Amino acid sequence: MTTNTTGTTPPSGPANDERLRRWRLVLGGDSAESTGCTLTGRDAAMDGALTALYGDGGKEGGSRGRNSRAAGLGASAPSVARWLGDIRTYFPSSVVQVMQRDAIDRLGLSALLLEPEMLEAVEADVHLVGTLLSLNKAMPETTKETARAVVRKVVEDLEKRLAARTRATLTGALDRSAKIDRPRHHDIDWDRTIRANLKNYLPEYGTVVPERLIGYGRAARSVKKDVILCIDQSGSMAASVVYASVFGAVLASMHTLRTRLVVFDTAVVDLTDQLDDPVDVLFGTQLGGGTDINRALSYCQSRITRPADTVVVLISDLYEGGIRNEMLKRVAAMKASGVQFVTLLALSDEGAPAYDRDHAAALGALGAPAFACTPDLFPEVMAAAVEKRPLPVPDMDTPR
């Protein structure tokens, strides 16, 4: 029987045994000997998988026991593939994805992602796609097809999650933005009609006489808005590039929008002609390198033909390597011409990113507030920009 730090004997029973078991799995190795809990079977296998990553076999100074029973993952693709299979057996998908990211960071496994056997074993997610894209140029031909299959699976899952709501939200916004003065009964926008006719209120009847009807425009096949997605492809923006490419493909599928997708580092690449397949878009990016936002905005500005009907979305952490004052002048000029300008510091589920606070403040002063945006919020942000109403800016107390 073990004793705790107060010298008293802990209570026995199933609840306490389960608590000791969990602590033993958390602490691992010699640091957990005082629990008096011996792991067997599945628990021992789980502990081995954790020790391989978080023990001495992982990164020096790891949190698990000094005298690890496992020797870590080493540099062998087969051993890593077996480990990937183990963690998928013992842990839920969300935990597997975290452990995979930790393995890539702690053990330097990026090179092993070039092995087809390992790619076939991984639990695919947005972060893994970002890693694969950063390795794209170094990837051997034997691996590229497997990598594309991994990326396609993630992209298709994201499209299933995001496409329907995005189309529905933006279709409604586009219809509302096209107001007509002689609407059919089913097309009347009653909120705006009542506000426009409040001067005609008859108190004796308690009603408003609607002299002027305001309605929604019916969906049309003609292009109503132009959208330019301008995406920073520096290494820190990997997840944002993945989500932006998926959204770009969804927007491009809407006949009432004309969508352009531009990626940049110190150079600018227009990937609009690949928007029918976001996987092609992603493999057309070059993650890493510097940043020249001013050059990218100059290109986007040159493609604007209908300023009052254009939404420009800059997705960048704003660490500008180009000419800062010129960048701000371009944003001011676009807004003055009627362009709706949106600045997203990130388009991901990761929360507030690291970003250039001075540039964010300068853009905010121009009426283009910079904020991090989750994929679930993005349709609402775009709808607000289309309708030219205030953007739904989330709270961002502290940057990460």
Side-chain angles (χ1 to χ4, degrees):
M1 183 67 66
T2 60
T3 58
N4 60 23
T5 55
T6 64
T8 61
T9 300
S12 60
N16 187 61
D17 291 345
E18 176 63 15
R19 188 179 301 113
L20 290 175
R21 169 185 168 275
R22 289 175 176 272
W23 273 113
R24 173 62 182 81
L25 285 168
V26 168
L27 295 172
D30 291 345
S31 60
E33 290 303 318
S34 62
T35 64
C37 179
T38 302
L39 301 177
T40 60
R42 184 183 177 88
D43 286 348
M46 290 174 63
D47 186 59
L50 290 167
T51 301
L53 176 57
Y54 298 110
D56 285 347
K59 191 174 182 180
E60 185 176 354
S63 61
R64 297 182 71 81
R66 287 286 179 187
N67 298 321
S68 302
R69 293 190 302 274
L73 299 180
S76 165
S79 69
V80 173
R82 285 194 297 272
W83 178 80
L84 288 167
D86 288 343
I87 64 175
R88 292 171 70 182
T89 299
Y90 303 132
F91 303 100
S93 177
S94 59
V95 175
V96 169
Q97 292 172 5
V98 172
M99 293 179 73
Q100 286 178 171
R101 293 200 296 272
D102 286 348
I104 292 168
D105 293 339
R106 292 169 61 87
L107 306 178
L109 298 185
S110 295
L112 289 181
L113 287 176
L114 304 181
E115 299 285 344
E117 296 84 358
M118 183 174 175
L119 283 179
E120 291 170 355
V122 295
E123 185 78 22
D125 70 345
V126 169
H127 301 281
L128 178 63
V129 170
T131 301
L132 290 177
L133 295 178
S134 68
L135 298 170
N136 182 26
K137 301 304 180 185
M139 198 174 292
E141 291 300 322
T142 55
T143 306
K144 284 189 175 181
E145 285 307 310
T146 306
R148 287 185 72 89
V150 171
V151 172
R152 187 169 298 282
K153 180 181 183 301
V154 174
V155 166
E156 288 175 351
D157 288 346
L158 290 177
E159 284 187 304
K160 290 177 184 176
R161 168 188 159 193
L162 302 169
R165 180 167 169 265
T166 300
R167 291 191 187 100
T169 301
L170 284 177
T171 297
L174 289 164
D175 287 349
R176 288 190 295 272
S177 69
K179 297 300 174 184
I180 55 178
D181 293 327
R182 300 180 63 183
R184 300 177 184 180
H185 177 75
H186 293 296
D187 294 331
I188 295 174
D189 182 343
W190 287 109
D191 287 339
R192 293 197 178 189
T193 295
I194 291 171
R195 285 198 297 270
N197 290 279
L198 285 177
K199 62 183 179 181
N200 301 322
Y201 178 67
L202 301 178
E204 62 272 25
Y205 294 102
T207 189
V208 170
V209 177
E211 288 184 349
R212 184 166 69 91
L213 298 177
I214 299 175
Y216 304 127
R218 287 185 174 271
R221 301 288 294 180
S222 60
V223 173
K224 296 179 180 178
K225 296 287 182 178
D226 294 339
V227 175
I228 301 177
L229 300 178
C230 185
I231 309 167
D232 182 344
Q233 62 176 353
S234 57
S236 60
M237 301 297 294
S240 297
V241 171
V242 176
Y243 279 114
S245 298
V246 172
F247 276 118
V250 173
L251 298 180
S253 70
M254 300 179 62
H255 297 292
T256 49
L257 293 176
R258 181 185 294 113
T259 303
R260 182 178 295 275
L261 189 142
V262 176
V263 298
F264 68 93
D265 41 35
T266 53
V268 180
V269 180
D270 193 325
L271 297 176
T272 302
D273 60 351
Q274 299 178 33
L275 272 175
D276 59 330
D277 188 345
V279 176
D280 286 342
V281 170
L282 288 170
F283 277 93
T285 62
Q286 177 70 57
L287 288 175
T291 308
D292 193 336
I293 303 172
N294 177 56
R295 174 176 290 185
L297 292 182
S298 173
Y299 177 84
C300 294
Q301 190 177 22
S302 71
R303 295 301 183 269
I304 296 173
T305 58
R306 305 187 304 160
D309 293 313
T310 299
V311 178
V312 174
V313 182
L314 171 65
I315 304 174
S316 173
D317 54 17
L318 300 180
Y319 287 111
E320 170 67 319
I323 306 173
R324 176 183 187 272
N325 290 338
E326 289 298 315
M327 174 190 77
L328 297 175
K329 286 180 181 178
R330 291 192 191 283
V331 175
M334 281 189 270
K335 286 189 63 65
S337 68
V339 170
Q340 296 298 299
F341 195 92
V342 179
T343 309
L344 302 182
L345 302 169
L347 179 55
S348 71
D349 293 305
E350 302 303 305
Y355 64 97
D356 190 305
R357 298 177 69 88
D358 291 339
H359 288 162
L363 288 171
L366 294 175
F371 57 95
C373 178
T374 64
D376 289 334
L377 180 63
F378 184 76
E380 300 296 335
V381 170
M382 291 301 298
V386 164
E387 295 184 70
K388 300 184 178 181
R389 53 183 171 84
L391 302 177
V393 180
D395 292 332
M396 280 182 52
D397 295 331
T398 55
R400 193 170 56 184

